[in-house]
Amino acid sequence: MSLQRIVRVSLEHPTSAVCVAGVETLVDIYGSVPEGTEMFEVYGTPDVDVYISPSMERGREPADTRRWHCDAGLEIIVVMNSPSKDLNDGHVQISYYSSRKPLPLAYAVLYLTCVDIALDCDLNCEGRENRSFVDKRQWVWGPRGYGAILLVNCDRDDPACDDQDNCDQRVRCLQDLEDMSVMVLRTQGPAALFDDHRLVLHTSSYDAKRARVFHACGPEDSCEAYRHVLGQDKMSYEVPRSHGDEERFFVEGLSFPDAGFTGLVSFHVTLLDDSNEDFSESPIFTDTVVFRVAPWIMTPSTLPPLEVYVCRVKNNMCFVDAVAELARKAGCKLTICPQAENRNDRWIQDEMELGYVQAPHKTFPVVFDSPRNGELQDFPYKRILGPDFGYVTREPQGSSVCGLDSFGNLEVSPPVVANGRESSGRRVTQVVRDFLHAQRVQPPVELFVDWLAVGHVDEFLSFVPAPDGKGFRMLLASPGACFKLFQEKRKWGHGRALLFEGLVGNVRVNTISINQVLSNENLISYNKFVQSCIDWNREVLKRELGLTEQDIVDIPQLFKTEKRKAVAFFPDLVNMLVLGKYLGIPKPFGPIINGRCCLEEKVRSLLEPLGLHCTFIDDFTPYHMLHGEVHCGTNVRRQPFPFKWWHMVP
């Protein structure tokens, strides 16, 4: 980036100037033109290109082709493309002429020293044929875009440390450097130039709060070699001159994109001229690079699973065993949070959401800790945060959280085009909404959930992988589908078949027949209301996610009212654990017809043609009776998306 440097030449003595390789310098000859001058000639040494720009319309011409009339509109432009070996080893001579004299009236000489300065980083230019036209000061989205990427260094690579890696101003272990982006300052030119010139690396006070820079000042296999030079209270750093031409810097992100922070951070290096004792130092050249902080990305249930989390509490041993068996079939690691740590808080889906961050050089998972702060509140930080596993949270200031701030109310669809939509009623706390919107790569679609007692989208919505179409199906709870199923069974003479008949143990739930369900006007009326709420969300999702009816599967489900809000009448079938093709579905204890639960059979008929395997897990006592289900009691870390987030255009 040129600072439009202008050099004024003198007739009284030669002038010296510093230029940067490939950067234009304007030469002002009009301040000392001898009296009677009508024309001039200008020549440079072979390593100096000299141009004349007669006007904006005519562009520029090589200067050594002819004499030029002294016109105030002319500009003399000099460029050196290679760094100098010695001080003042290039020069330009201007000869002034009058038409009345054959010899020059006077000469002016400009001595030039060229230095090559570049602040470089990985601009992620894959797929671009010519990288020389990339503007480092810009960050461009898309498959042919470019721009450097910075990770928030929010993991904890040193097990002996209590804090995240970006919470202090030290490099505690060499593995920490793998999470940082490399920035290289390259300089070529005479060493003597820097006796009276300085290189300063700098950033704004705004950006200094969002990124930190370490300078490798010694052997890079020692943590002590990395000196904190920019970030937080440090906005500038004079780069010491070493014997080499390269200085390596390591940059870590401190903050994710959020309200008031777009995610862009800029760093600059400026060459300062300090050669004049009578004046303050002046800038000659500035080079700039822009980083974008990588967003936190959620993973949908359609991505392959890597690790399943579940809490062991006093009455869910069989549930944990069933989840463990499902994880074994899916080839997943299983992590069990013991009762001593969860203090009987079993809702691990509500406590956290698992996602990841990604740059060209590194990808690692990051847990987003919800603001609900139940008895599980320490688990994400104390048990999940670690080497190459990051942590982020958002806490509202001065306001309370509600059930909607639990992350059972935070689900992500497979990749689609989304425009975002807001709804009225109870809403997720502002700091969480701001954070999600600011990531940009997964624009939130806010759904209407105020009709639900718990108020979580996973009570009526889930996604499963599919071999055709868009590669997934959206499952929606459907009272209408359930009534239709029961009406069919009654038509075939099974109206006396009972729900909840198979429950065992200490569960005290009255059985109810299909006939009784279909004759309960209050239940029918209330479920028509529930269906209208789900249908409203259905239309929002179709519009915002670009779905058709072929992308949606209606799963039979009934709801009942408690304190004027909806809860599942029988275990909520869409609230399932999705591990690839293996589904862990709440066992509904529906009417037994011909030895089989008709609800289970219906769900199998809808999902198994998609290549999915349905396992029905008994969660009635430990979860359903507490207004939760299988999905609420589990959590999954998944593989990242196969495509790169920077290839999309928000």
Side-chain angles (χ1 to χ4, degrees):
M1 171 183 171
S2 173
L3 293 177
Q4 300 297 320
R5 181 166 169 77
I6 301 175
V7 177
R8 292 178 174 84
V9 296
S10 170
L11 296 175
E12 300 175 358
H13 52 77
T15 304
S16 296
V18 174
C19 64
V20 176
V23 178
E24 298 176 351
T25 299
L26 301 182
V27 181
D28 179 5
I29 66 171
Y30 300 106
S32 57
V33 176
E35 186 176 352
T37 297
E38 300 173 41
M39 307 181 76
F40 68 88
E41 290 179 348
V42 56
Y43 295 94
T45 50
D47 52 349
V48 182
D49 295 329
V50 187
Y51 301 96
I52 299 293
S53 178
S55 67
M56 292 293 293
E57 292 76 18
R58 291 178 56 187
R60 64 181 61 182
E61 301 177 26
D64 57 1
T65 56
R66 57 189 174 93
R67 289 184 182 178
W68 301 87
H69 287 279
C70 271
D71 182 346
L74 290 178
E75 287 185 341
I76 300 177
I77 301 167
V78 299
V79 180
M80 294 184 71
N81 291 308
S82 300
S84 298
K85 293 182 172 60
D86 300 298
L87 292 176
N88 301 325
D89 64 356
H91 75 268
V92 174
Q93 177 176 294
I94 300 102
S95 305
Y96 300 93
Y97 290 90
S98 167
S99 59
R100 293 182 293 275
K101 295 184 178 181
L103 297 176
L105 301 177
Y107 300 95
V109 178
L110 171 64
Y111 288 101
L112 294 169
T113 303
C114 181
V115 62
D116 193 3
I117 299 172
L119 190 60
D120 291 326
C121 52
D122 181 2
L123 294 177
N124 193 28
C125 297
E126 55 194 54
R128 293 185 63 89
E129 294 179 2
N130 193 335
R131 302 188 181 195
S132 62
F133 291 100
V134 169
D135 185 351
K136 296 183 291 185
R137 298 168 295 173
Q138 302 293 325
W139 206 99
V140 180
W141 294 88
R144 294 187 59 79
Y146 55 85
I149 295 172
L150 193 60
L151 294 175
V152 176
N153 193 11
C154 57
D155 66 341
R156 182 171 59 202
D157 288 314
D158 183 0
C161 181
D162 293 330
D163 295 323
Q164 295 165 264
D165 289 340
N166 62 2
C167 287
D168 58 26
Q169 300 177 356
R170 296 173 52 193
V171 174
R172 292 186 174 270
C173 64
L174 295 179
Q175 290 75 18
D176 194 15
L177 298 170
E178 298 174 5
D179 303 334
M180 302 186 194
S181 296
V182 177
M183 184 168 64
V184 180
L185 173 61
R186 295 183 172 90
T187 56
Q188 288 182 286
L193 174 72
F194 294 95
D195 293 342
D196 50 17
H197 289 74
R198 297 192 303 130
L199 279 172
V200 176
L201 190 69
H202 56 102
T203 189
S204 68
S205 59
Y206 178 87
D207 288 349
K209 297 175 182 177
R210 291 159 176 85
R212 184 185 289 121
V213 179
F214 295 92
H215 183 196
C217 297
E220 293 193 4
D221 58 354
S222 169
C223 291
E224 287 69 29
Y226 298 92
R227 177 183 176 188
H228 170 227
V229 297
L230 289 182
Q232 294 174 314
D233 58 337
K234 296 183 178 181
M235 273 76 77
S236 64
Y237 170 64
E238 182 176 349
V239 182
R241 287 295 297 165
S242 64
H243 297 294
D245 295 332
E246 282 191 4
E247 298 292 334
R248 280 165 55 88
F249 299 87
F250 292 81
V251 190
E252 66 176 358
L254 304 180
S255 301
F256 281 98
D258 212 329
F261 176 42
T262 64
L264 295 177
V265 178
S266 299
F267 295 101
H268 321 273
V269 64
T270 295
L271 178 64
L272 295 172
D273 183 351
D274 198 25
S275 60
N276 194 323
E277 297 180 356
D278 298 327
F279 299 96
S280 61
E281 56 191 8
S282 59
I284 295 175
F285 170 80
T286 294
D287 200 16
T288 297
V289 295
V290 174
F291 288 88
R292 181 176 291 281
V293 176
W296 178 77
I297 301 174
M298 293 174 63
T299 52
S301 56
T302 52
L303 286 175
L306 297 172
E307 184 174 7
V308 179
Y309 297 84
V310 66
C311 292
R312 190 186 300 280
V313 295
K314 61 184 180 181
N315 66 342
N316 77 338
M317 183 178 299
C318 293
F319 177 86
V320 172
D321 290 344
V323 170
E325 175 61 18
L326 198 70
R328 185 195 64 78
K329 289 180 180 178
C332 296
K333 177 182 176 182
L334 178 68
T335 295
I336 299 174
C337 176
Q339 189 170 357
E341 294 182 22
N342 63 56
R343 291 167 288 191
N344 227 39
D345 183 354
R346 66 201 69 201
W347 309 116
I348 198 164
Q349 180 66 227
D350 291 343
E351 183 59 40
M352 62 189 190
E353 187 71 31
L354 295 160
Y356 68 95
V357 293
Q358 184 176 49
H361 67 282
K362 185 69 177 284
T363 301
F364 62 82
V366 175
V367 58
F368 186 7
D369 191 0
S370 84
R372 75 182 275 265
N373 291 338
E375 296 299 324
L376 268 170
Q377 63 177 323
D378 295 333
F379 180 74
Y381 192 86
K382 290 185 176 181
R383 282 287 304 274
I384 295 183
L385 170 64
D388 287 341
F389 210 132
Y391 173 92
V392 64
T393 190
R394 288 293 181 271
E395 297 281 350
Q397 299 294 321
S399 62
S400 61
V401 298
C402 67
L404 273 66
D405 299 311
S406 298
F407 283 172
N409 195 33
L410 184 59
E411 297 299 320
V412 64
S413 76
V416 292
V417 177
N419 300 316
R421 182 179 177 90
E422 298 185 353
S423 62
S424 59
R426 292 179 296 167
R427 304 181 74 185
V428 175
T429 188
Q430 187 69 45
V431 291
V432 173
R433 288 165 52 213
D434 288 344
F435 178 83
L436 296 175
H437 278 280
Q439 307 315 303
R440 296 192 66 184
V441 294
Q442 293 172 314
V445 178
E446 296 191 48
L447 299 177
F448 174 47
V449 296
D450 205 29
W451 51 279
L452 289 159
V454 178
H456 294 176
V457 295
D458 65 351
E459 296 175 76
F460 68 91
L461 166 69
S462 62
F463 294 92
V464 295
D468 56 3
K470 294 182 173 64
F472 68 90
R473 294 290 191 275
M474 182 174 71
L475 310 186
L476 288 180
S478 174
C482 190
F483 283 127
K484 181 180 179 181
L485 174 66
F486 284 179
Q487 287 164 355
E488 290 175 355
K489 299 306 177 185
R490 181 175 65 176
K491 179 181 177 181
W492 290 99
H494 302 295
R496 298 172 67 180
L498 299 174
L499 282 85
F500 310 128
E501 188 176 24
L503 285 169
V504 295
N506 298 321
V507 182
R508 294 184 179 179
V509 177
N510 294 327
T511 58
I512 182 172
S513 69
I514 289 178
N515 286 337
Q516 288 173 308
V517 168
L518 295 178
S519 62
N520 188 328
E521 293 299 330
N522 289 334
L523 184 64
I524 293 172
S525 176
Y526 188 72
N527 274 275
K528 287 182 178 178
F529 161 73
V530 169
Q531 187 67 67
S532 70
C533 296
I534 294 173
D535 287 345
W536 190 93
N537 287 309
R538 183 192 202 98
E539 293 307 311
V540 171
L541 289 161
K542 286 169 63 177
R543 180 173 64 251
E544 300 299 332
L545 303 184
L547 305 181
T548 66
E549 284 298 322
Q550 287 69 40
D551 302 315
I552 302 172
V553 178
D554 290 308
I555 302 296
Q557 185 65 48
L558 295 181
F559 293 83
K560 60 183 179 180
T561 178
E562 286 189 8
K563 298 180 180 178
R564 304 183 67 182
K565 299 290 184 179
V567 297
F569 184 73
F570 52 80
D572 194 345
L573 291 161
V574 298
N575 194 285
M576 65 180 66
L577 173 62
V578 181
L579 301 179
K581 64 181 180 181
Y582 296 98
L583 308 181
I585 305 171
K587 187 174 181 62
F589 293 97
I592 304 298
I593 298 174
N594 298 326
R596 296 178 180 271
C597 170
C598 68
L599 287 170
E600 291 185 16
E601 289 300 291
K602 181 63 176 178
V603 172
R604 289 185 193 276
S605 71
L606 292 169
L607 300 183
E608 290 187 349
L610 300 174
L612 303 172
H613 298 265
C614 299
T615 298
F616 292 90
I617 298 175
D618 181 359
D619 71 349
F620 202 98
T621 300
Y623 294 92
H624 173 70
M625 293 186 69
L626 300 175
H627 296 166
E629 309 289 356
V630 175
H631 183 259
C632 306
T634 56
N635 215 314
V636 184
R637 175 172 64 90
R638 301 181 184 275
Q639 290 184 17
F641 286 108
F643 63 87
K644 309 304 182 186
W645 61 265
W646 51 85
H647 287 167
M648 67 170 291
V649 180

